[in-house]
Amino acid sequence: MIRDDVCDLEISAVAPLLRERRLSPVELTDAYLERIQRLDPSLNSYIRVMPDQARAAARQAEREIADGGWRGPLHGVPLGIKDLFDVAGVPTTMGSSILRDNVPDLDATVVSHLKAAGAVILGKHNLHEFAFGITSENPHFGAVHNPWSLDRVPGGSSGGTAAAVAAGLCAGGLGSDTGASIRAPASFCGVVGLKPTYGRVSRAGALPLAWSLDHAGPLARSVADCAILLQAIAGHDARDHASAMQAVPDFSADLARGVAGLRVGVPREYFFEVVEPDVERLVRDAIATLEQLGASVQEVSLPHVSHAQVAGNVIMSSEAAAWHTTWLRERPHDYGPDVLQRIRGGLLVRATEYLHSQQMRTLIQQDFARAFERVDVVVGPSVPLVAPPIGRTLEPGRSLNVAPRSVANRTTVPCNLTGMPAISVPCGFSDGLPVGLQIMGPAFAEPLVLRVAAAYEAATDWRQHKPRLTAGSTARAER
């Protein structure tokens, strides 16, 4: 009898059960595969499920653990992979029609690291086409649905990964973030998503959107699980020219240290200027919680950050257009209309605009560097709004009365420009839809960012709330 309840366990909880052989990797994998078969028709979070490969990896993990060869907390744990990371012998589509038959010979470096840690790969997750969008409404593989409300987007571009993690269709997942694509889905789906420092995690074997902004990172149900996943995938890689020669610390070591004595910065400009009232209230409540836990809170000024969204979008579209040049000329009909328009827009960017955006990027980096001389972390909303309805993301709605797509990466893209680490952790609900708190830190300060997120998470019960799905029905919040 397959136990569906094991799919609710976090990685940090299931790992001891696997190590002590109180739970079989095969049993756990079968439970996830059965749950995917039953619930994913409502979510469409997977492009491709890999049952044969997953069961083979689970059997291998079971044998190794039985023989005393436990590799660590991911050994035998079922994970999902955003379908822009290569898995050898399996198509990497990047959510596109153009790459439907693109079958790599090698694993992406991060995938090889996860396999080396003993993880079981369940399949490849759906995403916004070519990772160039905030909604995961995909014209080729169908829209991904938010498990908290099936008529809502899950965010993008790692929407399939976030939806699958939230719905218990994998224990954790691997996403990418170029302007928002880990943190926005994490916020919309009520899970934890970490964008590491630029260069901390290899992107070799990951198809690019914009080379100077792309990051790979984990999505999971808890901060501790994100730390476990980051531990497995971090480190220098000669295959990625931007990979940092930086020592990899123990990302879990400081999770229980709390925030007493830490200095938390709240931006004076920009981050709270365009934000739904409920989102602002919940984020400010979260900041108050950090203060109650012993952190000191002070305003910080980031005078150039108001230009971040324009600068980020200029750089992103320009670099994307450069990578897509041949297909734009030869196969424009194979793109979805929204992505085609966005990439073509990059062809219209003048060199001076690109260079001015890079200059603005430097000024924003300097703003944050000065802020981090006074505070340890900077906090604000992950996304200014809750998940909008599928098919209506270009229409003004709710209290902001702006098109959701126009502001969805507003508060996340500064961290892509600076390359600094940032995490989204659930901080409440607005009309039953999740809201995320974003915690930002200096370069390579992931242990500190994770520490603050863990302290907030431990002081609240938001991660205990789960969407409740039944086959063929709408999602209902389990509160």
Side-chain angles (χ1 to χ4, degrees):
M1 181 73 176
I2 294 175
R3 294 168 46 202
D4 187 56
D5 62 311
V6 297
C7 298
D8 291 329
L9 296 175
E10 295 171 2
I11 295 171
S12 56
V14 80
L17 301 180
L18 293 168
R19 182 182 189 181
E20 296 161 13
R21 301 177 64 192
R22 288 186 283 157
L23 177 64
S24 157
V26 174
E27 178 188 12
L28 182 61
T29 298
D30 281 341
Y32 274 107
L33 290 171
E34 188 279 331
R35 189 173 173 89
I36 292 167
Q37 184 178 33
R38 177 162 43 92
L39 298 181
D40 202 47
S42 297
L43 293 176
N44 196 34
S45 68
Y46 280 86
I47 284 178
R48 185 180 304 273
V49 183
M50 299 156 45
D52 293 340
Q53 297 97 317
R55 289 191 174 102
R59 288 192 295 270
Q60 179 181 342
E62 186 168 89
R63 289 193 299 270
E64 290 172 347
I65 294 170
D67 291 340
W70 188 70
R71 302 190 200 180
L74 290 178
H75 203 175
V77 174
L79 304 176
I81 306 293
K82 183 178 182 178
D83 195 20
L84 59 67
F85 296 99
D86 285 346
V87 175
V90 178
T92 300
T93 72
M94 211 176 182
S96 71
S97 173
I98 290 173
L99 292 170
R100 275 185 188 271
D101 299 320
N102 170 48
V103 180
D105 296 324
L106 297 174
D107 289 331
T109 296
V110 285
V111 172
S112 66
H113 285 338
L114 291 175
K115 288 183 176 179
V120 173
I121 308 302
L122 292 169
K124 308 290 288 293
H125 286 144
N126 202 352
L127 65 154
H128 207 105
E129 182 187 10
F130 284 116
F132 205 174
I134 201 70
T135 69
S136 297
E137 295 169 287
N138 189 303
H140 311 293
F141 295 95
V144 183
H145 297 259
N146 191 316
W148 291 93
S149 182
L150 295 178
D151 66 338
R152 302 279 173 156
V153 305
S157 62
S158 308
T161 308
V165 170
L169 306 189
C170 59
L174 187 62
S176 68
D177 192 315
T178 306
S181 293
I182 288 173
R183 290 156 294 153
S187 181
F188 284 171
C189 291
V191 298
V192 181
L194 173 65
K195 183 199 78 63
T197 306
Y198 187 80
R200 171 70 88 182
V201 176
S202 173
R203 303 161 306 168
L207 294 172
L209 172 54
W211 68 271
S212 74
L213 300 171
D214 290 343
H215 301 66
L219 290 111
R221 296 177 207 151
S222 72
V223 176
D225 286 2
C226 271
I228 290 169
L229 287 163
L230 181 61
Q231 199 71 52
I233 62 176
H236 176 70
D237 178 20
R239 292 176 61 196
D240 181 355
H241 70 279
S243 182
M245 297 287 293
Q246 192 81 14
V248 178
D250 182 345
F251 294 112
S252 301
D254 292 339
L255 293 183
R257 284 187 60 189
V259 295
L262 292 182
R263 302 164 299 169
V264 173
V266 180
R268 182 178 304 137
E269 304 91 355
Y270 186 72
F271 280 83
F272 292 95
E273 291 173 3
V274 179
V275 60
E276 290 183 345
D278 262 7
V279 172
E280 178 171 6
R281 175 181 59 81
L282 290 166
V283 170
R284 292 199 183 276
D285 286 349
I287 294 168
T289 297
L290 292 174
E291 191 168 26
Q292 292 163 9
L293 293 172
S296 64
V297 175
Q298 59 181 285
E299 276 194 343
V300 293
S301 180
L302 303 166
H304 297 96
V305 77
S306 60
H307 303 286
Q309 190 178 27
V310 171
N313 289 343
V314 164
I315 294 169
M316 193 185 312
S317 62
S318 301
E319 294 181 2
W323 192 71
H324 284 264
T325 300
T326 300
W327 291 334
L328 286 174
R329 183 176 63 251
E330 297 177 356
R331 303 184 63 175
H333 54 282
D334 287 326
Y335 289 88
D338 70 314
V339 170
L340 179 62
Q341 180 184 29
R342 205 169 289 127
I343 295 175
R344 277 180 166 169
L347 297 175
L348 303 178
V349 173
R350 293 174 295 182
T352 51
E353 293 173 320
Y354 181 81
L355 292 173
H356 287 156
S357 295
Q358 293 287 13
Q359 290 170 333
M360 186 55 62
R361 180 183 202 163
T362 300
L363 294 174
I364 294 168
Q365 289 171 332
Q366 292 170 351
D367 285 348
F368 274 100
R370 282 189 289 269
F372 288 130
E373 292 173 358
R374 299 179 52 217
V375 298
D376 298 299
V377 295
V378 174
V379 300
S382 298
V383 186
L385 71 173
V386 295
I390 292 172
R392 295 176 57 188
T393 56
L394 290 174
E395 303 172 18
R398 289 179 60 103
S399 54
L400 287 184
N401 200 34
V402 297
R405 282 198 197 181
S406 69
V407 296
N409 73 341
R410 176 181 168 85
T411 53
T412 50
V413 74
C415 301
N416 296 86
L417 289 169
T418 61
M420 64 194 193
I423 194 169
S424 178
V425 61
C427 70
F429 293 84
S430 173
D431 295 333
L433 296 169
V435 173
L437 168 71
Q438 182 174 211
I439 302 164
M440 302 163 268
F444 300 104
E446 287 90 354
L448 177 62
V449 168
L450 287 161
R451 173 185 167 188
V452 175
Y456 174 75
E457 181 184 74
T460 60
D461 68 349
W462 301 123
R463 90 173 194 270
Q464 306 304 326
H465 303 177
K466 297 178 175 64
R468 190 174 64 205
L469 286 164
T470 56
S473 70
T474 59
R476 300 189 303 277
E478 187 176 75
R479 303 291 297 277

